[in-house]
Amino acid sequence: MQTAVPSPQSYSLFLAVEKIAHIQREQGEKAIRNVCTALKIKMLNPAEMRFLAEYTAVMKLLAMAHDILQGESFVHMGFLLPALSQLQEKLKKLESSCKVCRPLLTALQTGIQKRFRGLARS
């Protein structure tokens, strides 16, 4: 079985979005405003900031599971089902708080179930 591997660009994008959400959470909106001003770009509106926060909450779970499964040593098929099971549980817990990224959350849950349903039965 072969799994799709995200490109370095997509992982870099996630890390950049995670950093923006972290700055906003830790230092506040003023810090983001200062960065946008320095870069001469339009300030993110509250809905966009909410999206970035939810996006990082959802995708961080996927990135953590991916990192576990991409381990260089001591990783074998016995890690797959527990990692997927934990990922699905954590995604389920986000359902109540996830509003803006609900379609992303649902797509991930559906995709995991569809892709790996045969493994869970065997």
Side-chain angles (χ1 to χ4, degrees):
M1 174 182 64
Q2 187 175 20
T3 59
V5 177
S7 69
Q9 294 83 9
S10 63
Y11 197 69
S12 295
L13 174 63
F14 166 72
L15 293 175
V17 171
E18 183 181 40
K19 185 66 174 177
I20 292 169
H22 175 77
I23 291 170
Q24 196 272 340
R25 189 174 53 252
E26 297 295 319
Q27 299 174 23
E29 186 178 314
K30 186 175 181 186
I32 298 295
R33 187 174 309 283
N34 291 341
V35 170
C36 290
T37 301
L39 295 174
K40 298 178 181 165
I41 59 174
K42 184 178 155 189
M43 174 61 184
L44 299 168
N45 66 44
E48 292 167 331
M49 290 304 300
R50 200 168 32 257
F51 169 80
L52 294 179
E54 285 189 19
Y55 175 84
T56 56
V58 172
M59 294 305 289
K60 185 171 189 153
L61 297 175
L62 187 64
M64 288 171 30
H66 181 263
D67 286 348
I68 290 168
L69 296 173
Q70 289 292 311
E72 294 296 321
S73 58
F74 306 112
V75 175
H76 49 82
M77 286 299 289
F79 280 80
L80 182 61
L81 289 179
L84 289 174
S85 178
Q86 271 199 331
L87 175 59
Q88 287 176 312
E89 287 175 27
K90 289 177 181 180
L91 289 173
K92 184 115 177 104
K93 288 179 183 176
L94 281 179
E95 287 177 352
S96 61
S97 62
C98 198
K99 306 286 186 250
V100 180
C101 287
R102 179 60 65 98
L104 173 62
L105 182 61
T106 303
L108 287 171
Q109 291 171 316
T110 303
I112 291 167
Q113 290 169 358
K114 183 177 179 181
R115 175 65 177 95
F116 296 103
R117 70 175 160 238
L119 286 177
R121 288 188 214 136
S122 52

